[in-house]
mmCIF file of all heavy atoms in Angstrom:
data_model
loop_
_atom_site.group_PDB
_atom_site.id
_atom_site.type_symbol
_atom_site.label_atom_id
_atom_site.label_comp_id
_atom_site.label_asym_id
_atom_site.label_seq_id
_atom_site.Cartn_x
_atom_site.Cartn_y
_atom_site.Cartn_z
ATOM 1 N N ALA A 185 87.069 116.033 95.760
ATOM 2 C CA ALA A 185 87.307 115.096 96.821
ATOM 3 C C ALA A 185 86.825 113.680 96.468
ATOM 4 O O ALA A 185 87.536 112.653 96.659
ATOM 5 C CB ALA A 185 86.681 115.640 98.198
ATOM 6 N N ALA A 186 85.697 113.667 95.816
ATOM 7 C CA ALA A 186 85.142 112.298 95.455
ATOM 8 C C ALA A 186 86.045 111.638 94.443
ATOM 9 O O ALA A 186 86.039 110.325 94.376
ATOM 10 C CB ALA A 186 83.665 112.515 94.934
ATOM 11 N N ALA A 187 86.791 112.411 93.685
ATOM 12 C CA ALA A 187 87.749 111.853 92.666
ATOM 13 C C ALA A 187 89.074 111.492 93.379
ATOM 14 O O ALA A 187 90.012 111.138 92.606
ATOM 15 C CB ALA A 187 87.944 112.884 91.552
ATOM 16 N N GLY A 188 89.222 111.724 94.631
ATOM 17 C CA GLY A 188 90.381 111.195 95.316
ATOM 18 C C GLY A 188 91.447 112.326 95.582
ATOM 19 O O GLY A 188 92.519 112.018 95.947
ATOM 20 N N ILE A 189 90.964 113.551 95.268
ATOM 21 C CA ILE A 189 91.967 114.685 95.618
ATOM 22 C C ILE A 189 91.441 115.409 96.732
ATOM 23 O O ILE A 189 90.517 116.267 96.605
ATOM 24 C CB ILE A 189 92.228 115.509 94.283
ATOM 25 C CG1 ILE A 189 92.686 114.724 93.056
ATOM 26 C CG2 ILE A 189 93.147 116.734 94.679
ATOM 27 C CD1 ILE A 189 92.595 115.543 91.846
ATOM 28 N N GLY A 190 92.166 115.212 97.939
ATOM 29 C CA GLY A 190 91.625 115.877 99.083
ATOM 30 C C GLY A 190 92.101 117.419 99.229
ATOM 31 O O GLY A 190 93.212 117.644 98.869
ATOM 32 N N LEU A 191 91.269 118.208 99.428
ATOM 33 C CA LEU A 191 91.555 119.606 99.499
ATOM 34 C C LEU A 191 91.149 120.209 100.955
ATOM 35 O O LEU A 191 89.994 119.803 101.284
ATOM 36 C CB LEU A 191 90.848 120.454 98.454
ATOM 37 C CG LEU A 191 91.054 120.000 96.985
ATOM 38 C CD1 LEU A 191 90.135 120.866 96.025
ATOM 39 C CD2 LEU A 191 92.525 120.191 96.637
ATOM 40 N N ASP A 192 92.009 120.985 101.569
ATOM 41 C CA ASP A 192 91.630 121.440 102.899
ATOM 42 C C ASP A 192 91.284 122.836 102.990
ATOM 43 O O ASP A 192 90.854 123.388 104.019
ATOM 44 C CB ASP A 192 92.734 121.166 103.879
ATOM 45 C CG ASP A 192 94.000 121.961 103.612
ATOM 46 O OD1 ASP A 192 93.998 122.886 102.782
ATOM 47 O OD2 ASP A 192 95.049 121.654 104.236
ATOM 48 N N THR A 193 91.221 123.536 101.751
ATOM 49 C CA THR A 193 90.898 124.998 101.801
ATOM 50 C C THR A 193 89.804 125.377 100.829
ATOM 51 O O THR A 193 89.842 125.105 99.662
ATOM 52 C CB THR A 193 92.267 125.699 101.447
ATOM 53 O OG1 THR A 193 93.268 125.340 102.419
ATOM 54 C CG2 THR A 193 91.953 127.201 101.437
ATOM 55 N N LEU A 194 88.845 126.190 101.406
ATOM 56 C CA LEU A 194 87.884 126.936 100.522
ATOM 57 C C LEU A 194 88.163 128.382 100.790
ATOM 58 O O LEU A 194 87.780 128.839 101.797
ATOM 59 C CB LEU A 194 86.536 126.537 100.880
ATOM 60 C CG LEU A 194 85.847 125.353 100.264
ATOM 61 C CD1 LEU A 194 84.315 125.219 100.699
ATOM 62 C CD2 LEU A 194 85.962 125.473 98.731
ATOM 63 N N SER A 195 88.921 129.033 99.864
ATOM 64 C CA SER A 195 89.198 130.441 100.006
ATOM 65 C C SER A 195 88.124 131.225 99.501
ATOM 66 O O SER A 195 87.946 131.466 98.287
ATOM 67 C CB SER A 195 90.519 130.698 99.271
ATOM 68 O OG SER A 195 90.797 132.175 99.129
ATOM 69 N N MET A 196 87.208 131.720 100.380
ATOM 70 C CA MET A 196 86.047 132.532 99.818
ATOM 71 C C MET A 196 85.571 133.434 100.903
ATOM 72 O O MET A 196 85.502 132.938 102.162
ATOM 73 C CB MET A 196 84.901 131.610 99.255
ATOM 74 C CG MET A 196 84.393 130.575 100.349
ATOM 75 S SD MET A 196 83.267 129.467 99.252
ATOM 76 C CE MET A 196 82.328 128.700 100.618
ATOM 77 N N GLY A 197 85.211 134.646 100.599
ATOM 78 C CA GLY A 197 84.671 135.555 101.527
ATOM 79 C C GLY A 197 85.529 136.850 101.712
ATOM 80 O O GLY A 197 86.771 136.657 101.838
ATOM 81 N N MET A 198 84.966 138.009 101.374
ATOM 82 C CA MET A 198 85.667 139.283 101.492
ATOM 83 C C MET A 198 84.890 140.222 102.430
ATOM 84 O O MET A 198 83.894 139.712 103.108
ATOM 85 C CB MET A 198 85.795 139.931 100.088
ATOM 86 C CG MET A 198 86.103 138.901 99.075
ATOM 87 S SD MET A 198 86.523 139.389 97.357
ATOM 88 C CE MET A 198 86.447 141.090 97.291
ATOM 89 N N SER A 199 85.310 141.488 102.549
ATOM 90 C CA SER A 199 84.678 142.323 103.625
ATOM 91 C C SER A 199 83.120 142.259 103.585
ATOM 92 O O SER A 199 82.496 142.185 104.596
ATOM 93 C CB SER A 199 85.191 143.739 103.429
ATOM 94 O OG SER A 199 86.569 143.911 103.757
ATOM 95 N N GLN A 200 82.622 142.247 102.412
ATOM 96 C CA GLN A 200 81.140 142.570 102.329
ATOM 97 C C GLN A 200 80.349 141.122 102.384
ATOM 98 O O GLN A 200 79.101 141.207 102.435
ATOM 99 C CB GLN A 200 80.752 143.465 101.246
ATOM 100 C CG GLN A 200 80.913 142.777 99.882
ATOM 101 C CD GLN A 200 79.693 143.169 98.939
ATOM 102 O OE1 GLN A 200 79.001 144.267 99.223
ATOM 103 N NE2 GLN A 200 79.539 142.464 97.876
ATOM 104 N N ASP A 201 81.087 140.026 102.262
ATOM 105 C CA ASP A 201 80.336 138.811 102.009
ATOM 106 C C ASP A 201 80.945 137.675 102.865
ATOM 107 O O ASP A 201 80.550 136.506 102.627
ATOM 108 C CB ASP A 201 80.153 138.413 100.678
ATOM 109 C CG ASP A 201 81.436 138.222 99.869
ATOM 110 O OD1 ASP A 201 82.534 138.080 100.514
ATOM 111 O OD2 ASP A 201 81.448 138.342 98.575
ATOM 112 N N PHE A 202 81.781 137.793 103.814
ATOM 113 C CA PHE A 202 82.534 136.734 104.408
ATOM 114 C C PHE A 202 81.581 135.988 105.269
ATOM 115 O O PHE A 202 81.741 134.664 105.519
ATOM 116 C CB PHE A 202 83.733 137.249 105.163
ATOM 117 C CG PHE A 202 83.527 137.955 106.434
ATOM 118 C CD1 PHE A 202 83.384 137.339 107.655
ATOM 119 C CD2 PHE A 202 83.496 139.308 106.399
ATOM 120 C CE1 PHE A 202 83.191 138.063 108.872
ATOM 121 C CE2 PHE A 202 83.270 140.097 107.646
ATOM 122 C CZ PHE A 202 83.096 139.404 108.790
ATOM 123 N N GLU A 203 80.447 136.499 105.905
ATOM 124 C CA GLU A 203 79.623 135.706 106.740
ATOM 125 C C GLU A 203 78.838 134.689 105.825
ATOM 126 O O GLU A 203 78.691 133.492 106.205
ATOM 127 C CB GLU A 203 78.671 136.645 107.502
ATOM 128 C CG GLU A 203 79.341 137.207 108.724
ATOM 129 C CD GLU A 203 79.150 138.684 109.134
ATOM 130 O OE1 GLU A 203 78.870 139.428 108.158
ATOM 131 O OE2 GLU A 203 79.269 139.001 110.243
ATOM 132 N N ALA A 204 78.312 135.087 104.681
ATOM 133 C CA ALA A 204 77.773 134.119 103.661
ATOM 134 C C ALA A 204 78.626 133.099 103.370
ATOM 135 O O ALA A 204 78.280 131.917 103.163
ATOM 136 C CB ALA A 204 77.250 134.959 102.367
ATOM 137 N N ALA A 205 80.002 133.512 103.158
ATOM 138 C CA ALA A 205 80.972 132.442 102.731
ATOM 139 C C ALA A 205 81.217 131.394 103.808
ATOM 140 O O ALA A 205 81.249 130.205 103.652
ATOM 141 C CB ALA A 205 82.300 133.102 102.407
ATOM 142 N N LEU A 206 81.184 131.955 105.053
ATOM 143 C CA LEU A 206 81.450 131.024 106.179
ATOM 144 C C LEU A 206 80.267 130.122 106.387
ATOM 145 O O LEU A 206 80.374 128.874 106.697
ATOM 146 C CB LEU A 206 81.719 131.810 107.511
ATOM 147 C CG LEU A 206 83.021 132.561 107.459
ATOM 148 C CD1 LEU A 206 83.111 133.559 108.709
ATOM 149 C CD2 LEU A 206 84.130 131.563 107.670
ATOM 150 N N ALA A 207 78.990 130.655 106.101
ATOM 151 C CA ALA A 207 77.908 129.766 106.167
ATOM 152 C C ALA A 207 77.902 128.586 105.173
ATOM 153 O O ALA A 207 77.269 127.580 105.336
ATOM 154 C CB ALA A 207 76.556 130.609 105.941
ATOM 155 N N GLU A 208 78.659 128.831 104.092
ATOM 156 C CA GLU A 208 78.812 127.767 103.047
ATOM 157 C C GLU A 208 80.061 126.997 103.140
ATOM 158 O O GLU A 208 80.457 126.213 102.262
ATOM 159 C CB GLU A 208 78.733 128.411 101.659
ATOM 160 C CG GLU A 208 77.272 129.102 101.355
ATOM 161 C CD GLU A 208 76.183 128.013 101.359
ATOM 162 O OE1 GLU A 208 76.359 126.850 101.152
ATOM 163 O OE2 GLU A 208 74.973 128.494 101.585
ATOM 164 N N GLY A 209 80.836 127.068 104.254
ATOM 165 C CA GLY A 209 81.934 126.326 104.509
ATOM 166 C C GLY A 209 83.345 126.824 104.248
ATOM 167 O O GLY A 209 84.368 126.156 104.254
ATOM 168 N N SER A 210 83.416 128.216 104.110
ATOM 169 C CA SER A 210 84.753 128.811 103.899
ATOM 170 C C SER A 210 85.699 128.421 104.954
ATOM 171 O O SER A 210 85.351 128.360 106.213
ATOM 172 C CB SER A 210 84.539 130.282 103.848
ATOM 173 O OG SER A 210 85.780 130.907 103.810
ATOM 174 N N THR A 211 86.922 128.195 104.703
ATOM 175 C CA THR A 211 88.075 127.977 105.671
ATOM 176 C C THR A 211 88.960 129.080 105.587
ATOM 177 O O THR A 211 90.066 129.035 106.331
ATOM 178 C CB THR A 211 88.709 126.559 105.426
ATOM 179 O OG1 THR A 211 89.488 126.718 104.223
ATOM 180 C CG2 THR A 211 87.703 125.507 105.437
ATOM 181 N N LEU A 212 88.893 129.997 104.646
ATOM 182 C CA LEU A 212 89.992 131.099 104.631
ATOM 183 C C LEU A 212 89.151 132.205 104.071
ATOM 184 O O LEU A 212 88.555 132.225 102.887
ATOM 185 C CB LEU A 212 91.047 130.622 103.644
ATOM 186 C CG LEU A 212 92.232 131.591 103.489
ATOM 187 C CD1 LEU A 212 93.497 130.852 103.009
ATOM 188 C CD2 LEU A 212 91.908 132.718 102.526
ATOM 189 N N VAL A 213 89.191 133.346 104.776
ATOM 190 C CA VAL A 213 88.551 134.640 104.244
ATOM 191 C C VAL A 213 89.661 135.614 103.985
ATOM 192 O O VAL A 213 90.736 135.629 104.686
ATOM 193 C CB VAL A 213 87.488 135.141 105.301
ATOM 194 C CG1 VAL A 213 86.282 134.260 105.503
ATOM 195 C CG2 VAL A 213 88.114 135.333 106.636
ATOM 196 N N ARG A 214 89.352 136.423 102.897
ATOM 197 C CA ARG A 214 90.393 137.465 102.540
ATOM 198 C C ARG A 214 89.680 138.757 102.743
ATOM 199 O O ARG A 214 88.869 139.250 101.954
ATOM 200 C CB ARG A 214 90.711 137.252 100.980
ATOM 201 C CG ARG A 214 91.167 135.867 100.665
ATOM 202 C CD ARG A 214 91.340 135.709 99.157
ATOM 203 N NE ARG A 214 90.185 136.243 98.403
ATOM 204 C CZ ARG A 214 89.083 135.480 98.060
ATOM 205 N NH1 ARG A 214 89.044 134.246 98.231
ATOM 206 N NH2 ARG A 214 88.129 136.121 97.430
ATOM 207 N N ILE A 215 90.173 139.456 103.822
ATOM 208 C CA ILE A 215 89.446 140.751 104.200
ATOM 209 C C ILE A 215 90.401 141.914 104.139
ATOM 210 O O ILE A 215 91.448 141.962 104.802
ATOM 211 C CB ILE A 215 88.759 140.469 105.598
ATOM 212 C CG1 ILE A 215 87.784 139.306 105.436
ATOM 213 C CG2 ILE A 215 88.134 141.850 106.030
ATOM 214 C CD1 ILE A 215 86.986 139.028 106.620
ATOM 215 N N GLY A 216 89.987 142.931 103.382
ATOM 216 C CA GLY A 216 90.870 144.082 103.279
ATOM 217 C C GLY A 216 90.254 145.328 103.907
ATOM 218 O O GLY A 216 90.610 145.766 104.957
ATOM 219 N N THR A 217 89.243 145.934 103.290
ATOM 220 C CA THR A 217 88.749 147.292 103.697
ATOM 221 C C THR A 217 88.178 147.126 105.125
ATOM 222 O O THR A 217 88.338 148.137 105.841
ATOM 223 C CB THR A 217 87.725 147.752 102.672
ATOM 224 O OG1 THR A 217 86.719 146.734 102.440
ATOM 225 C CG2 THR A 217 88.329 148.295 101.466
#
Side-chain angles (χ1 to χ4, degrees):
I189 302 172
L191 303 176
D192 66 11
T193 300
L194 273 184
S195 168
M196 59 187 196
M198 316 189 356
S199 293
Q200 71 144 18
D201 57 20
F202 70 88
E203 279 139 332
L206 290 167
E208 296 297 338
S210 169
T211 69
L212 184 156
V213 292
R214 308 175 312 269
I215 300 184
T217 48

